[in-house]
Amino acid sequence: MSHHKKMVLPLLDGALLRPALRDTFFKLGLRAQLKNPVMFVVYLGSILCSVLWVQALLGHGQAPAWLTGSIAVWLWFTVLFANFAEALAEGRSKAQAASLKGLQKSTWAKKLATPQRYGAEFAMVESFDLRRDDVVLVQHGDVIPCDGEVIEGIASVDESAITGESAPVIRESGGDFSSVTGGTRVLSDWIVVRISVNPGETFIDRMIAMVEGAKRRKTPNEVALTILLLALTLIFLLVTVTLLPFSAYSVNAAGSGEVVSLPVLIALLVCLIPTTIGGLLSAIGVAGMSRLMAANVIATSGRAVEAAGDVDVLLLDKTGTITFGNRQASAFVAAAGVSQATLAEAAWLASLADDTPEGKSIVVLAQRLTDGAGGHLDDDAKVGRTLLADLHAGLTPAGASFVPFTAQSRMSGINLDGRHIRKGAADAIRRHIEALGGSVPRSLLQQVDTIASRGSTPLVVAEGAQVLGVVELKDVVKPGIRERFAQLRQMGIKTVMITGDNRLTAAAIAAEAGVDDFLAEATPENKLAMIRDYQARGQLVAMTGDGTNDAPALAQADVAVAMNSGTQAAREAANMVDLDSSPTKLIEVVEIGKQMLMTRGALTTFSLANDVAKYFAIIPAAFAVTYPQLNALNVMQLASPASALLSAVIFNALIIIALIPLALKGVRYRALGAAELLRRNLLLYGVGGLLLPFAGIKLIDMLLSLLGLV
């Protein structure tokens, strides 16, 4: 049973609000404000307005003291609300980081002396004193002191502190399951671990550094948007600065009216520049990283999160992602002149020592067949009474010697009383039989192709130089995966299935699953070549992997998700690590990346549309005395110029606090194409952003008038 420790705190949780409120005021420092150019302008305007308010109180103000003071207060609120949005987003990330820091405890390690073997003497040292290439012994009950690779032994390891999975995992030397993480605990047996990192470079250290929002680096798209917002801010700053001498010239020329006051110009500038998106931009990025962490994925690169939202091609492993991965024997197909019972008996014998799910399923299917035959299998098979009893009891026959499966031979089997039975891939069995002077019938090869074309895996069984038939292994495509791929296609994302199966099997499963393309008989070299080919066409590629042989392709991919259960090489090559080791997580990562881009785009659209509406409120108010003709733009019929000015500034501040939940939770993800998303955003956030300020500013104006404040 799985228990995921996902840090998803409620938005109004006291554990988040208290530190966020404290950090809101800490962020008022000059260095912190300089990081956000748009809000820095508001920050300077708040300071200047505060100074002008003091002057007004002393009788030297350009505008009434109550108006200047009110503008100053709401400008400070605007800055504080923007700080609060960022602090709240960072607070969620810091809460996640705090839980990870709890894993960073100094433990005692058994550092081995030469020779570096299990029986060698060891010295007790603190884990923080270990360095790369040191070798330690970890026994039952010990905490693994640092990240490393198992070089000897096998052990059951509790990784729940990292992954949230309560079920222990097996870690052993060699293969794809030799990587161990510091802070996890050995439950049984022992392992010898070679340390692979220095202090401060561990997996948990990298996790903490990325999770803490304060250390998050801006992504390229975020930098580009910041430059755009800065350009708009500079344009409106220049416009506002020129309005003061222009207003003075108009008053002098006309001989009447009033020069626009400095507090009014500051309020105008703040309402003109894109303060809404400027105040929420950082919070959106931090919240995106936090949502990724909530999905138990650690990004070692902020660029990767953003790239995930722009991915064009997904490379997905067949086993465990598209199919369940537990191939089961579903049928025995006997060769011409061979009974099904003979084939079943031979397949059963060849699978007795096979501990794989496939081997066990063959034994079960053979037992089920004999049960269905009423125990009369020996009438038409070579099995004797004792052997038949062993079959039903699931026992290994006496005097049997087993031939284990190897990557070179690609087959396994049994030697029993002069009988040599083998099962394996069709080409491997063909070479085996030809070496013995026999041949594989053409009709059987056709059966192999037929089974492969159905998406199943054919396993050929032979005794000596005679082929007995084929066992059909079926791997079931996951329900709903075809619809998921259809959604990705609608979003313009191409899906490619990667498998070690032959082309016929791969083609059948690809057709059933609904993927756009497939790579059969995949090797590290052709995975890498495929990624480079797509990238050469200007497309962004995402893939997932867990083995050392996946490392080159992971390093090449734009978005690379490594399984936490995989090798150290895979984790170091990738720019994301999935703590759950779920092959389907890549699709979720892409959705989170797209959601972050959708949220940023939606709020940018809303902010710019919002500003257009505010112009109708504040421009007539600012220049009504100098240019009475501008009253025609007062479509909201606001009570007075002072009320219009203050209502716009108040709305400008309050809209930031109102949009914080949307910035942190993100816009609801929808699997739609870019054109459809653009239409929806323009309709909902463009038109909504245009209309909402009219209603909001008018409502505030009515409230101020009702309270007699203007």
Side-chain angles (χ1 to χ4, degrees):
M1 186 176 179
S2 170
H3 301 284
H4 298 291
K5 298 180 180 179
K6 297 184 181 181
M7 295 291 299
V8 188
L9 293 176
L11 194 61
L12 298 179
D13 191 285
L16 288 179
L17 289 177
R18 285 187 294 273
L21 287 170
R22 183 187 66 243
D23 290 347
T24 295
F25 292 94
F26 287 158
K27 287 178 177 290
L28 288 175
L30 184 63
R31 183 177 296 179
Q33 291 299 313
L34 278 170
K35 294 178 182 178
N36 191 331
V38 176
M39 297 313 299
F40 180 65
V41 172
V42 183
Y43 176 71
L44 292 179
S46 305
I47 295 173
L48 184 55
C49 236
S50 300
V51 173
L52 293 173
W53 175 56
V54 173
Q55 288 182 346
L57 290 174
L58 297 174
H60 306 294
Q62 300 178 16
W66 70 268
L67 180 61
T68 306
S70 298
I71 292 173
V73 167
W74 282 102
L75 290 186
W76 279 116
F77 275 144
T78 305
V79 175
L80 289 172
F81 289 162
N83 287 354
F84 180 70
E86 185 174 2
L88 197 58
E90 289 178 359
R92 300 177 81 184
S93 292
K94 287 174 181 176
Q96 294 165 338
S99 69
L100 295 173
K101 286 179 179 177
L103 301 174
Q104 287 188 307
K105 297 175 183 176
S106 179
T107 59
W108 288 98
K110 300 169 182 173
K111 183 177 177 182
L112 290 176
T114 307
Q116 298 169 351
R117 312 299 292 175
Y118 173 59
E121 294 181 357
F122 59 79
M124 298 299 292
V125 299
E126 282 200 87
S127 57
F128 293 151
D129 294 330
L130 293 172
R131 295 293 182 271
R132 184 193 295 268
D133 292 330
D134 284 347
V135 178
V136 297
L137 169 66
V138 190
Q139 295 172 301
H140 166 69
D142 292 348
V143 172
I144 295 174
C146 197
D147 297 359
E149 295 278 344
V150 179
I151 59 174
E152 186 181 357
I154 180 171
S156 174
V157 180
D158 174 14
E159 294 188 343
S160 60
I162 301 292
T163 67
E165 293 285 347
S166 57
V169 295
I170 301 298
R171 292 289 177 257
E172 58 185 324
S173 59
D176 291 345
F177 299 97
S178 60
S179 177
V180 290
T181 305
T184 57
R185 184 180 296 274
V186 171
L187 298 179
S188 66
D189 302 297
W190 57 269
I191 47 176
V192 175
V193 178
R194 178 182 288 116
I195 304 301
S196 58
V197 295
N198 289 319
E201 301 172 357
T202 66
F203 179 60
I204 294 176
D205 286 321
R206 297 201 307 273
M207 286 165 65
I208 293 170
M210 286 307 302
V211 169
E212 288 181 324
K215 297 181 181 179
R216 191 186 66 86
R217 295 174 63 182
K218 288 185 178 181
T219 59
N221 279 352
E222 195 174 342
V223 170
L225 183 56
T226 302
I227 292 171
L228 173 63
L229 298 180
L230 180 59
L232 289 173
T233 302
L234 288 174
I235 290 170
F236 286 122
L237 181 62
L238 290 173
V239 169
T240 307
V241 167
T242 57
L243 287 175
L244 184 60
F246 191 74
S247 171
Y249 172 79
S250 299
V251 169
N252 291 332
S256 62
E258 293 181 10
V259 177
V260 179
S261 65
L262 213 53
V264 170
L265 285 177
I266 293 170
L268 173 64
L269 174 62
V270 170
C271 289
L272 286 176
I273 63 177
T275 50
T276 306
I277 185 62
L280 296 172
L281 186 59
S282 183
I284 294 168
V286 175
M289 297 290 290
S290 183
R291 281 196 297 276
L292 199 66
M293 179 59 185
N296 265 9
V297 177
I298 300 298
T300 55
S301 163
R303 290 169 179 261
V305 185
E306 190 167 271
D310 287 327
V311 158
D312 301 297
V313 182
L314 280 184
L315 301 185
L316 300 163
D317 190 45
K318 183 203 77 172
T319 305
T321 306
I322 296 172
T323 65
F324 283 107
N326 51 346
R327 296 182 299 178
Q328 301 290 304
S330 60
F332 292 121
V333 182
V338 178
S339 70
Q340 190 181 49
T342 301
L343 170 61
E345 175 240 346
W348 168 69
L349 285 169
S351 304
L352 284 174
D354 189 346
D355 287 330
T356 64
E358 294 91 341
K360 291 177 180 177
S361 72
I362 292 172
V363 172
V364 170
L365 184 63
Q367 289 173 335
R368 193 183 307 137
L369 180 66
T370 60
D371 290 339
H376 298 295
L377 184 63
D378 56 318
D379 291 341
D380 55 1
K382 298 176 183 178
V383 65
R385 295 289 181 186
T386 305
L387 205 53
L388 179 61
D390 289 344
L391 190 157
H392 283 294
L395 301 175
T396 301
S401 64
F402 295 101
V403 179
F405 175 88
T406 65
Q408 290 74 29
S409 67
R410 295 177 64 205
M411 61 183 182
S412 60
I414 187 173
N415 298 327
L416 176 67
D417 298 332
R419 299 170 64 185
H420 302 279
I421 303 171
R422 300 289 183 270
K423 77 174 195 305
D427 57 339
I429 294 294
R430 190 191 75 242
R431 287 193 299 269
H432 170 70
I433 288 177
E434 289 174 351
L436 295 175
S439 63
V440 178
R442 184 180 297 274
S443 60
L444 188 115
L445 292 176
Q446 290 174 345
Q447 288 284 2
V448 167
D449 290 344
T450 301
I451 291 171
S453 66
R454 290 199 293 263
S456 299
T457 301
L459 210 59
V460 179
V461 181
E463 182 172 345
Q466 181 190 8
V467 176
L468 301 180
V470 185
V471 181
E472 181 176 355
L473 300 175
K474 205 164 191 178
D475 195 358
V476 181
V477 172
K478 290 182 176 180
I481 199 78
R482 188 180 184 89
E483 290 74 19
R484 197 82 175 268
F485 290 152
Q487 291 178 346
L488 291 172
R489 192 177 300 110
Q490 192 176 359
M491 293 161 57
I493 298 175
K494 181 178 182 179
T495 51
V496 181
M497 181 185 78
I498 298 177
T499 176
D501 290 337
N502 60 59
R503 287 192 60 82
L504 277 174
T505 302
I509 294 177
E512 186 180 352
V515 294
D516 299 308
D517 198 1
F518 65 89
L519 177 64
E521 299 172 348
T523 63
E525 291 78 15
N526 49 33
K527 285 182 195 175
L528 189 61
M530 174 177 270
I531 292 173
R532 286 175 174 168
D533 182 50
Y534 280 120
Q535 290 174 333
R537 301 179 213 167
Q539 295 178 309
L540 293 182
V541 181
M543 77 161 288
T544 184
D546 60 359
T548 301
N549 62 341
D550 291 323
L554 287 170
Q556 183 68 35
D558 301 285
V559 180
V561 182
M563 302 297 100
N564 189 47
S565 61
T567 62
Q568 187 76 15
R571 295 198 302 186
E572 289 180 354
N575 46 33
M576 293 187 191
V577 178
D578 175 24
L579 302 183
D580 294 334
S581 299
S582 168
T584 57
K585 192 65 70 67
L586 182 59
I587 298 174
E588 192 175 343
V589 167
V590 169
E591 290 176 353
I592 291 171
K594 283 198 171 293
Q595 187 184 29
M596 188 176 77
L597 293 182
M598 287 164 58
T599 303
R600 189 185 297 158
L603 291 183
T604 301
T605 304
F606 182 89
S607 178
L608 296 178
N610 211 296
D611 292 338
V612 174
K614 285 183 285 187
Y615 303 159
F616 285 93
I618 201 166
I619 290 178
F623 299 98
V625 178
T626 309
Y627 302 106
Q629 299 88 342
L630 287 177
N631 275 318
L633 294 177
N634 187 13
V635 293
M636 288 180 272
Q637 296 299 306
L638 301 177
S640 66
S643 175
L645 191 70
L646 199 53
S647 297
V649 173
I650 293 172
F651 178 83
N652 194 61
L654 293 180
I655 197 65
I656 292 177
I657 203 80
L659 290 174
I660 287 177
L662 184 63
L664 297 188
K665 291 183 178 179
V667 172
R668 184 182 173 189
Y669 171 78
R670 295 177 186 273
L672 300 172
E676 179 63 23
L677 276 176
L678 180 61
R679 280 195 296 271
R680 292 181 69 92
N681 275 352
L682 288 176
L683 183 63
L684 183 61
Y685 297 99
V687 176
L690 194 63
L691 297 178
L692 185 63
F694 284 98
I697 291 172
K698 180 62 178 177
L699 191 63
I700 296 171
D701 173 73
M702 292 169 62
L703 186 62
L704 292 176
S705 300
L706 186 65
L707 296 174
L709 298 177
V710 291

